[in-house]
Amino acid sequence: MAEAVLIKPDRSLVRKIKAAGGETVEKCYQCATCSVVCELSPTERPFPRKEMIWSQWGLEDRLMTDPDIWLCYQCSDCSVNCPRGAKPGDVMAAVRRFAFEHFAFPGFMGRALASPSGLIPLLLLPVIILCLIVWQETSGNLTALFQASAVVDFDYFLPHGRTEMLFIIGALLVVTCMSISLFRFWRGMDKAWGAQHKTGFIPALIGVVFEVILHKRFSSCGAARYRQFAHLLVFFGFVFTALATAMATFEMLFLHKFLGLEGHYPPFSLLHPIKIFGNIGGFAIVAGVVIMIYQHITNSENAGKAVYSTWLFIWMTGLVAVSGLGAQFFRIAGVAEFAYPFYFLHLLTVFFLIWYAPYSQFGHMFYRTLAMIFARSIGREAKEMKPLP
Amino acid sequence: MDAKIGVYICSGCGIKDAIDVDALTSLVGDELECEFSKSDPFICGDECLAKIKADIESEGLNRVIIAGCSGRYFTDRFKFGDDILVDRVPIREYVAWSSDPESDIDEIEEVIQELAADYIRMSVARMNNSEPPTPIEEETSRDILIVGGGVAGMNAALASANAGYNVTLVEKEAELGGWSRKFKAVIPQSAPFHELETPPHIELADSVQKHEKIKVFTSSTIEKTSGQPGQFDVTIQNGSGGETVRVGAIVQATGWLPYEPENLKDKYGYGTFGNVITNIAMEEMAVNGKISRPTDDAAPKSIAIIHCAGSRDKEHLPYCSAVCCRVALKQALYIHEMMPETDVYLLYKDIRSPGLFEQFYEKVQEVEGIFMTKGEVVEVTEEDDTSLSITLDETLLGEKIKIQADMLVLATGMVPTTLVDEDEIEEEAETEAEEETPDETGEEGDEKSKASCAEIGAKILNLTYRQGTDLPTLKYGFPDSHFICFPYETRRTGIYAAGAVRAPMDMGMAKNDGLGAALKAIQTVETVSQGITVHPRSGDVSFPDFFLSRCTQCKRCTEDCPFGTLDEDDKGTPEPNTLRCRRCGICLGACPERIITFKDFSPNMITQMIKSISMPEEFDERPRYLVFLCENDAVPALDISAWYRHKIEPWVRIIPVRCIGSVNTVFIADALSAGFDGILMLGCKRGDDYQCHFVNGSELGDYRMENVREKLKQLVLESERVQIDQVELSDWHKIPKMINDFVEEVNDLGMNPYKDF
């Protein structure tokens, strides 16, 4: 017989989970309806029932080494069917929010993103950096920007080279910090699950990428079907804008700067592939975000409990797209009074999303992917769908 | 007084389609000695009823036979006064509706006519051999005694007193209140079931003590209870002197005792580890305002509570005590209120908080610092003097876990105060057996020790009944007698059980129990004052008469009576206490001398009814089957079956009886020698979950089958010819098949060879 494990409950974690949107967690009485209705849950050690009692007892080591919290897409089937109103979907989301904090490297960043009190410093950092760049470039002569005759020139305001550098540094930092967190997460899962990896990391990763691109898991959700569509829009919006950014970087750094070719420098024509990709992406994000906001307001039961960090991420995502599209519109329209502030806002929100990605809900992209790879590699698959008799 | 019988045959409700009513009517003039017979198409109508009443007047009838629908319909319409005996012959149900004229039996119409005629013959025999019963007239008391001053007892006392009855309340302890006095708080009893309530005894005790109709005896016990309902003489002893009161009925609300925790020594370390306590000890601490670790008196940082400690456990109490889960929730809640930083673990098998109490469970779930899991406690060990470690398997956490707690509380279950300690009985029985004179055989010695067992046991009422000093109990020591139909009822007429002595329950239910039992007690004092019986034959005037000069002192009646009606004198002659009797006739069924009779139900009456049935010769190939049908479930069940026109074989003749226990084996012998081919008895369900309305009548019927089989062997008859079966009311659709299968089975054996003798 297996050796008994000493269990020490932790009230403070229960409090945190409740504060992070899981305030219904204590209502659970472990009937396992949630695990039965969940289409994504595997047959062996299904979720979210076990996560519910782990949360009620505040068992951090179990929750934080559990790939299952990331296999949940919060489609709310469990919450809708829960006989006790314990909303396991919301609790799982709250546990995921706690995971950003738990794995955060450096740790203070996790805490800063988790509550509104961290918002001001988090905003101040990019504002100061961007202002310094603006100040340096314009020597404080901002009035020149707004002269009626002047063409709106973002490169003059915030030079592309500088901003590129800012985001490349950000990306490197993010990759480093995120890797540390992900490594800890993987090691934790490995240990807790005594994992026998049946599939290698790369094949598992390829499988997961296909799954993500097709949003396959979303399609088995019942209560919140809209999520698949909204998430697809935002997801591909980001893919398109990322492609546009990559192409622009290529044009600017390689063709323009390195090869010294003429014309491969912003602003690009609206028919340029960069612009086409960027604009499609931007509009897709806006559309997806609008659906999300609308659903969270009008259909909060099924959309899941939205807390501060949810709104922060949704609004930041929306603002990135809106400010980008706005800056472009006012630049072409020649309305400098709006174009520059929009551009400033755009860079500010891009900074926010990229630099803080591991600690905000953007981080779900990494944790979820890793958890899915882990699950796939140990052969932890969703239960087989059987047609009703 | 000679019987003057008028027969009225109804032709309505499809009767005339199946039966030649005119021919049936002429049966009376031709064959049966009655005053007259008449038929009417609408016998239950006012017009016909008026005619019957006029006939009674003008012809001086004292017996009326109504052949028509079952006596369960229009019961009150066919009452013509106390001195007029009425028999309802259900030719509608037993003949018209349940015979199949399409059957391939030869001359089926004649066969059905014969069936109807037999029922008339049986009824005439019944009427000729019975008399209108007269009630017992005795001086009775309407006062009520309540034993036990807890929540159930005090509520019973108040309810009875408020209804205008004088009440005597006896409490063993110095103060009223029972367990309520020993609890810090009680489970919420009203919406939203969130807040603990103050124990109810304070208010109750005050009202009881102030009530002018309630006389309270505290620090008192009952030395002796003798007599019968309406005439109980109860000697109350308070240590310094006795006082005898006469009461009409008794409510026993003596409550419960906690399950002995010493028995949980091996399992949970009670007694071994200083910090393992019971829920009762926790309650005491809480009442005193300080919850502390027994070993060092320090405030515990964590407390674990094991639900079902020794409950739902084959080794200990096999049943659920219904309250312990909610008590554990209650204690978790007040521990949190008193010491918010203390963690409380609730370790349960299942949390049982039925009905709206679910809301209380929900409330406690939301309290911070209360951690719950299902699990089987595998081991309790002591880390050191101040810490215990509890290992659980099969937990909801999905693994075998260990938790550490400063204290462990065992939520033990409830044991009724009526439980007789079985070990104690064995010991006492052994002692008594040793005292027996050595010349007695072993077998007799066994019997003797069994009899003395009944006298030992919980000594609460100290009844002077021949069958034992206290209430007979069911499997786990609870004194209930018929949980489904008659709550509060015990096997001692006029004595009712209320509260946790009857079944494990909380104080809310105990309150209701007190009220319910008080109503039963009131019913009893009222009915016995009129000389009639209580449930289930409510209002029955008849009572058994013992022709004692022919008694052989065989003691069967005294032992078989489910209600302890009969005491006996030194020689063993029964001494009836008629007011204890519920008129089931089980004694009548037991008596080999046939000396026990009711005015309207007697061995002779049944024998004459059997004899009155036409018995065709063997060559006619018209068999005859006799079915004794219990009036409590089987008769209404057959009525329902007939309503749905389910068919039964036309060879069957039905005799309803008060209880299958009232069927004397003599009836069976009579029927077999009269030529009946088979006899079937349909009674209520027997066994641990019996539904017999007279507790053990059905059981006795089955037991007596042994003798019947012996008899059959002597007569060289197949044992299949006499059978007994069980019917619940809900089995109505199975009854025709039961009867027809029996008929088919016995038909295959061939005719009764004694037919033509």
Side-chain angles (χ1 to χ4, degrees):
Chain A
M1 202 189 280
E3 198 56 29
V5 196
L6 184 67
I7 298 280
K8 284 193 169 143
D10 177 7
R11 291 188 193 195
S12 64
L13 179 59
V14 183
R15 251 177 253 154
K16 274 183 195 163
I17 290 170
K18 283 164 109 174
E23 67 244 44
T24 48
V25 62
E26 305 274 32
K27 290 181 190 286
C28 170
Y29 63 175
Q30 294 283 302
C31 67
T33 302
C34 48
S35 293
V36 175
V37 298
C38 178
E39 294 290 354
L40 298 176
S41 178
T43 321
E44 287 295 311
R45 299 185 71 186
F47 65 83
R49 186 202 56 77
K50 65 180 187 304
E51 286 73 13
M52 291 301 282
I53 191 164
W54 288 347
S55 303
Q56 286 177 330
W57 284 53
L59 304 180
E60 185 168 337
D61 51 346
R62 279 166 184 69
L63 289 170
M64 290 301 111
T65 54
D66 181 20
D68 292 0
I69 59 170
W70 299 104
L71 301 184
C72 161
Y73 276 52
Q74 207 183 358
C75 61
S76 297
D77 283 352
C78 53
S79 296
V80 168
N81 287 291
C82 177
R84 270 297 186 96
K87 300 194 178 162
D90 286 1
V91 175
M92 294 287 271
V95 174
R96 288 193 290 272
R97 285 179 199 119
F98 174 72
F100 297 127
E101 207 181 319
H102 173 86
F103 288 110
F105 178 85
F108 68 85
M109 286 303 290
R111 289 191 291 281
L113 264 294
S115 74
S117 57
L119 186 59
I120 305 284
L122 290 174
L123 284 173
L124 273 179
L125 178 69
V127 167
I128 291 167
I129 294 174
L130 291 173
C131 284
L132 282 175
I133 297 173
V134 173
W135 192 259
Q136 198 192 5
E137 288 304 313
T138 59
S139 313
N141 183 14
L142 289 174
T143 46
L145 293 173
F146 300 110
Q147 277 161 8
S149 59
V151 177
V152 176
D153 183 3
F154 292 148
D155 198 29
Y156 170 70
F157 176 57
L158 278 161
H160 299 313
R162 295 289 183 92
T163 50
E164 282 287 340
M165 279 315 290
L166 194 59
F167 295 131
I168 286 167
I169 293 168
L172 288 173
L173 270 174
V174 163
V175 167
T176 314
C177 296
M178 196 70 241
S179 302
I180 292 168
S181 302
L182 290 176
F183 176 71
R184 287 175 180 170
F185 180 38
W186 183 275
R187 203 179 46 183
M189 288 191 292
D190 238 2
K191 201 171 157 211
W193 286 69
Q196 300 285 320
H197 294 281
K198 294 173 191 150
T199 315
F201 188 88
I202 301 298
L205 172 70
I206 294 169
V208 169
V209 167
F210 272 105
E211 223 180 278
V212 169
I213 288 174
L214 298 171
H215 273 46
K216 256 166 76 179
R217 295 200 181 209
F218 269 123
S219 57
S220 40
C221 288
R225 283 309 300 268
Y226 79 91
R227 292 176 75 88
Q228 183 179 21
F229 185 58
H231 195 273
L232 260 177
L233 283 172
V234 175
F235 177 80
F236 279 101
F238 272 113
V239 169
F240 274 61
T241 49
L243 280 175
T245 310
M247 282 193 281
T249 311
F250 174 76
E251 297 250 346
M252 284 194 297
L253 289 185
F254 187 72
L255 300 180
H256 174 78
K257 206 155 190 177
F258 189 69
L259 298 181
L261 295 174
E262 275 300 310
H264 294 281
Y265 199 76
F268 299 106
S269 129
L270 273 179
L271 295 173
H272 192 284
I274 291 176
K275 281 287 162 194
I276 292 171
F277 271 83
N279 277 317
I280 291 175
F283 281 112
I285 292 174
V286 172
V289 165
V290 166
I291 297 174
M292 285 179 187
I293 293 173
Y294 176 78
Q295 288 289 344
H296 270 299
I297 291 170
T298 60
N299 187 16
S300 57
E301 273 299 301
N302 289 1
K305 170 98 185 162
V307 294
Y308 164 72
S309 51
T310 326
W311 287 124
L312 182 68
F313 182 53
I314 291 179
W315 280 110
M316 279 299 163
T317 308
L319 278 177
V320 160
V322 169
S323 62
L325 293 167
Q328 173 187 269
F329 174 78
F330 291 116
R331 174 178 63 78
I332 294 165
V335 187
E337 290 86 345
F338 286 115
Y340 291 113
F342 266 86
Y343 189 57
F344 188 87
L345 183 64
H346 184 60
L347 291 185
L348 174 68
T349 49
V350 170
F351 181 97
F352 199 101
L353 279 183
I354 292 180
W355 278 60
Y356 305 150
Y359 324 108
S360 76
Q361 292 210 12
F362 212 166
H364 79 274
M365 189 165 78
F366 309 109
Y367 289 107
R368 191 182 294 279
T369 308
L370 193 73
M372 285 164 76
I373 294 169
F374 181 84
R376 198 174 260 265
S377 78
I378 63 166
R380 190 162 169 71
E381 298 289 333
K383 62 189 159 206
E384 233 174 82
M385 290 281 294
K386 284 200 185 87
L388 289 169
Chain B
M1 188 169 62
D2 280 346
K4 290 187 93 175
I5 307 171
V7 181
Y8 296 86
I9 301 171
C10 187
S11 58
C13 292
I15 294 173
K16 73 170 187 312
D17 302 335
I19 304 166
D20 181 346
V21 175
D22 292 338
L24 205 57
T25 314
S26 57
L27 197 68
V28 165
D30 299 347
E31 177 188 328
L32 300 168
E33 284 178 29
C34 300
E35 299 308 305
F36 58 79
S37 73
K38 293 177 178 174
S39 73
D40 193 282
F42 188 29
I43 212 163
C44 54
D46 290 339
E47 209 175 304
C48 184
L49 282 173
K51 255 191 264 170
I52 297 173
K53 279 172 192 158
D55 287 349
I56 291 171
E57 283 294 315
S58 59
E59 307 285 331
L61 298 179
N62 54 16
R63 308 278 193 280
V64 174
I65 292 173
I66 307 288
C69 52
S70 158
R72 295 176 58 254
Y73 300 93
F74 308 117
T75 313
D76 288 338
R77 287 184 86 81
F78 294 108
K79 279 183 179 163
F80 304 109
D82 291 342
D83 50 348
I84 312 290
L85 206 53
V86 178
D87 190 28
R88 304 282 301 276
V89 186
I91 54 168
R92 183 179 77 169
E93 278 79 11
Y94 293 179
V95 185
W97 284 356
S98 24
S99 301
D100 185 6
E102 310 288 309
S103 159
D104 51 9
I105 294 167
D106 289 341
E107 298 165 323
I108 179 68
E109 278 174 26
E110 197 187 313
V111 168
I112 294 172
Q113 190 67 24
E114 217 169 53
L115 175 64
D118 274 349
Y119 278 117
I120 303 290
R121 291 184 187 111
M122 284 155 80
S123 179
V124 171
R126 175 192 277 269
M127 291 287 99
N128 274 324
N129 289 285
S130 50
E131 278 176 49
T134 45
I136 318 156
E137 279 171 14
E138 289 192 45
E139 189 73 20
T140 61
S141 163
R142 279 190 161 88
D143 295 355
I144 292 168
L145 172 76
I146 315 285
V147 188
V151 174
M154 289 195 286
N155 275 296
L158 284 172
S160 316
N162 288 339
Y165 295 85
N166 292 320
V167 173
T168 305
L169 176 63
V170 178
E171 166 58 43
K172 187 175 66 179
E173 294 188 24
E175 278 178 64
L176 291 176
W179 282 106
S180 172
R181 211 158 53 81
K182 293 158 192 163
F183 290 172
K184 177 181 164 60
V186 299
I187 304 158
Q189 293 290 342
S190 57
F193 298 92
H194 284 177
E195 301 300 323
L196 298 183
E197 290 177 12
T198 41
H201 68 276
I202 308 165
E203 235 171 275
L204 275 173
D206 195 46
S207 319
V208 166
Q209 266 147 351
K210 281 185 189 151
H211 208 292
E212 55 175 7
K213 282 195 169 291
I214 305 177
K215 191 174 180 198
V216 180
F217 289 82
T218 48
S219 305
S220 301
T221 52
I222 289 169
E223 194 175 273
K224 196 178 88 174
T225 304
S226 59
Q228 52 183 342
Q231 299 170 345
F232 285 118
D233 289 318
V234 184
T235 309
I236 300 164
Q237 181 62 250
N238 67 2
S240 54
E243 186 177 332
T244 302
V245 293
R246 169 159 281 211
V247 295
I250 300 172
V251 174
Q252 180 172 339
T254 48
W256 58 281
L257 293 168
Y259 180 67
E260 178 53 61
E262 288 292 334
N263 297 342
L264 302 170
K265 191 183 174 83
D266 294 340
K267 197 162 182 187
Y268 303 122
Y270 181 86
T272 313
F273 309 133
N275 292 328
V276 179
I277 63 169
T278 63
N279 45 3
I280 301 294
M282 170 55 79
E283 214 59 57
E284 269 169 34
M285 282 189 189
V287 167
N288 294 328
K290 189 184 169 211
I291 296 171
S292 61
R293 222 162 28 201
T295 50
D296 62 354
D297 210 29
K301 289 192 185 63
S302 55
I303 299 174
I305 303 179
I306 297 180
H307 294 229
C308 298
S311 290
R312 300 171 65 203
D313 182 338
K314 278 182 193 148
E315 309 270 299
H316 302 283
L317 293 183
Y319 55 86
C320 165
S321 286
V323 298
C324 338
C325 278
R326 282 175 287 152
V327 169
L329 292 168
K330 172 188 86 173
Q331 295 188 338
L333 189 58
Y334 70 56
I335 290 169
H336 175 81
E337 281 165 5
M338 292 166 82
M339 302 183 294
E341 290 308 312
T342 301
D343 289 338
V344 185
Y345 298 94
L346 295 178
L347 312 173
Y348 57 86
K349 275 183 194 164
D350 301 289
I351 289 197
R352 293 188 168 177
S353 57
L356 292 172
F357 292 107
E358 187 77 355
Q359 295 177 28
F360 180 52
Y361 169 29
E362 286 177 34
K363 151 82 184 174
V364 178
Q365 273 190 301
E366 307 236 333
V367 176
E368 183 178 283
I370 296 179
F371 304 100
M372 308 187 185
T373 185
K374 187 186 173 84
E376 288 291 330
V377 176
V378 183
E379 196 183 22
V380 178
T381 54
E382 199 171 40
E383 299 282 299
D384 54 56
D385 266 2
T386 58
S387 180
L388 296 158
S389 151
I390 302 137
T391 310
L392 292 135
D393 208 351
E394 311 286 327
T395 67
L396 291 167
L397 294 147
E399 55 198 326
K400 191 173 171 183
I401 64 163
K402 192 153 70 167
I403 53 166
Q404 280 172 351
D406 291 359
M407 277 168 72
L408 175 61
V409 179
L410 304 178
T412 53
M414 297 167 123
V415 175
T417 43
T418 39
L419 178 75
V420 182
D421 188 320
E422 284 172 23
D423 296 338
E424 202 179 307
I425 293 181
E426 271 167 34
E427 271 168 39
E428 287 201 35
E430 274 165 30
T431 334
E432 295 214 3
E434 278 164 25
E435 288 164 9
E436 298 291 329
T437 43
D439 59 351
E440 280 191 320
T441 64
E443 213 176 273
E444 277 170 320
D446 273 358
E447 255 173 43
K448 189 84 183 173
S449 65
K450 257 184 216 159
S452 49
C453 282
E455 288 164 21
I456 312 162
K459 295 201 166 86
I460 296 168
L461 297 177
N462 290 305
L463 297 167
T464 58
Y465 283 40
R466 189 263 181 208
Q467 284 187 2
T469 59
D470 271 277
L471 298 179
T473 57
L474 293 180
K475 205 169 170 186
Y476 303 124
F478 295 98
D480 214 321
S481 80
H482 205 289
F483 184 74
I484 301 170
C485 300
F486 319 110
Y488 323 114
E489 185 192 288
T490 72
R491 286 176 55 183
R492 293 291 172 259
T493 309
I495 306 179
Y496 299 93
V501 73
R502 181 175 77 83
M505 64 181 70
D506 67 9
M507 288 180 188
M509 249 178 102
K511 177 184 173 184
N512 290 343
D513 247 46
L515 307 184
L519 278 172
K520 283 283 184 181
I522 291 169
Q523 273 178 10
T524 300
V525 296
E526 289 303 326
T527 49
V528 294
S529 73
Q530 299 163 47
I532 54 179
T533 187
V534 294
H535 47 84
R537 296 185 63 81
S538 308
D540 190 352
V541 184
S542 71
F543 59 87
D545 187 39
F546 295 74
F547 188 61
L548 290 177
S549 52
R550 262 177 46 210
C551 173
T552 59
Q553 284 99 17
C554 75
K555 298 182 184 179
R556 280 183 206 162
C557 55
T558 49
E559 279 173 13
D560 283 358
C561 175
F563 307 106
T565 301
L566 301 153
D567 294 333
E568 62 196 22
D569 66 9
D570 297 340
K571 282 190 235 153
T573 315
E575 293 177 329
N577 295 276
T578 315
L579 294 175
R580 294 180 194 166
C581 175
R582 302 220 195 141
R583 284 69 160 172
C584 57
I586 285 176
C587 50
L588 180 155
C591 181
E593 294 299 311
R594 296 195 265 181
I595 61 165
I596 305 171
T597 55
F598 292 80
K599 281 191 170 160
D600 57 355
F601 184 70
S602 64
N604 186 43
M605 181 193 98
I606 302 279
T607 306
Q608 293 308 320
M609 283 170 77
I610 293 169
K611 282 186 182 159
S612 73
I613 297 164
S614 64
M615 185 57 64
E617 293 188 350
E618 195 176 347
F619 303 109
D620 291 345
E621 294 197 341
R622 287 185 184 174
R624 285 288 180 267
Y625 295 92
L626 195 60
V627 176
F628 289 106
L629 216 52
C630 167
E631 283 177 7
N632 297 289
D633 266 20
V635 164
L638 188 56
D639 281 354
I640 299 170
S641 159
W643 178 269
Y644 285 96
R645 310 299 195 271
H646 291 183
K647 304 302 179 199
I648 53 176
E649 292 290 336
W651 316 123
V652 172
R653 305 294 183 264
I654 293 164
I655 299 183
V657 288
R658 296 182 170 207
C659 173
I660 282 304
S662 68
V663 177
N664 198 309
T665 49
V666 173
F667 306 162
I668 292 162
D670 283 353
L672 286 172
S673 40
F676 279 87
D677 300 283
I679 297 139
L680 178 65
M681 287 173 273
L682 292 178
C684 300
K685 203 163 109 186
R686 53 183 179 263
D688 274 347
D689 56 344
Y690 65 82
Q691 285 187 14
C692 176
H693 291 51
F694 298 106
V695 186
N696 59 1
S698 185
E699 196 82 54
L700 282 167
D702 191 46
Y703 173 76
R704 291 176 192 151
M705 281 297 291
E706 287 299 312
N707 300 340
V708 171
R709 280 188 204 106
E710 200 62 31
K711 183 95 188 164
L712 287 167
K713 215 184 264 175
Q714 285 169 12
L715 293 170
V716 206
L717 280 172
E718 299 84 350
S719 66
E720 292 84 352
R721 287 194 190 273
V722 184
Q723 292 184 24
I724 184 165
D725 214 336
Q726 309 170 63
V727 177
E728 287 177 62
L729 188 55
S730 51
D731 285 343
W732 60 267
H733 57 290
K734 294 182 192 156
I735 279 204
K737 191 172 174 345
M738 281 174 163
I739 294 175
N740 295 338
D741 284 355
F742 170 74
V743 167
E744 199 185 317
E745 188 184 344
V746 182
N747 261 345
D748 291 345
L749 299 174
M751 292 270 179
N752 178 353
Y754 292 93
K755 219 174 251 293
D756 302 329
F757 285 93

